[in-house]
Amino acid sequence: MSRGRAETPAARAARAARIVATLRRAYPEAETALSHGSALELLVATILSAQCTDERVNKVTPELFRRYPTARDYATANPEELEALIRPTGFYRNKAKAIRGLGAALVERHGGEVPDSMEALVELPGVGRKTANVVLGTWFGRPAVTVDTHVKRLAGRLDLSRESDPDRIEQDLRAALIREDWTFASHALIWHGRRICTARKPDCLRCPLLQECPWGHSSLASKDADR
């Protein structure tokens, strides 16, 4: 399997379907690792997850959600107190500012509720397409492709996209996958990126996607050549 060969859109879609089928067998319960009980909690947790592990976010959010159960609570939060709570997630000043602004915008524009459209979500402070897709796909059950660092890496290695911009990668994945697979594929690729196809030491020999992965074949061939 060569990354350099031409692949028609139909062939790529067929390969993408095989990839998703394999992911469903490997990770049938794939979903977000962020603990949440509402759209607002998921939205805030996703903002906190930027440049931070989900595990660390999950250690912070129980107390955070207890103190600030509504959008209005975030809007009126004392900046220093909010910063102290979320400090372990990193970039806490910027995140606190975004979350307070988010709360105010939700109260002013949406009656304190999280909207269920991409257009409305990306207009909120601290919310880009990645965060919006997490909420749309996970909470609202809308087909959504989330491109985080893992999905970006795997989309390249699996040759489902040759773009570097997350928005363009999202468009490539939307084109290659059927809509019903968008949300699951995003979660499963993230799980796979954490467990097998890691950034530094991908375990290609243990990878169930190896048959469909040009990068994996090339990597193993290169190692064999060096022996």
Side-chain angles (χ1 to χ4, degrees), residues 6 20 72 103 106 190 212 218 222:
V20 171
R72 188 174 298 279
L106 289 175
I190 292 170
E212 308 295 344
S218 298
S222 177

Side-chain angles (χ1 to χ4, degrees), residues 138-177:
T138 302
W139 186 260
F140 291 110
R142 307 286 176 78
V145 174
T146 300
V147 180
D148 73 344
T149 56
H150 299 290
V151 174
K152 179 180 179 180
R153 181 174 70 255
L154 269 67
R157 287 180 175 176
L158 291 166
D159 203 15
L160 294 176
S161 177
R162 299 186 180 184
E163 300 290 346
S164 58
D165 177 72
D167 290 351
R168 293 184 177 181
I169 294 171
E170 178 188 340
Q171 294 306 311
D172 284 345
L173 293 177
R174 285 162 64 104
L177 300 165

Side-chain angles (χ1 to χ4, degrees), residues 51-115:
Q51 305 298 314
C52 181
T53 65
D54 291 350
E55 181 180 9
R56 182 168 296 178
V57 172
N58 289 339
K59 291 180 180 178
V60 167
T61 51
E63 179 62 16
L64 180 71
F65 295 160
R66 187 190 70 79
R67 288 202 198 182
Y68 307 103
T70 70
R72 188 174 298 279
D73 292 322
Y74 286 117
T76 58
N78 177 282
E80 288 76 19
E81 291 179 2
L82 181 57
E83 288 175 4
L85 271 176
I86 66 173
R87 184 167 187 154
T89 69
F91 303 97
Y92 59 94
R93 290 194 178 91
N94 288 338
K95 289 179 180 179
K97 181 179 179 181
I99 291 171
R100 291 178 68 245
L102 168 70
L106 289 175
V107 170
E108 294 169 4
R109 305 175 200 169
H110 304 286
E113 299 297 319
V114 176

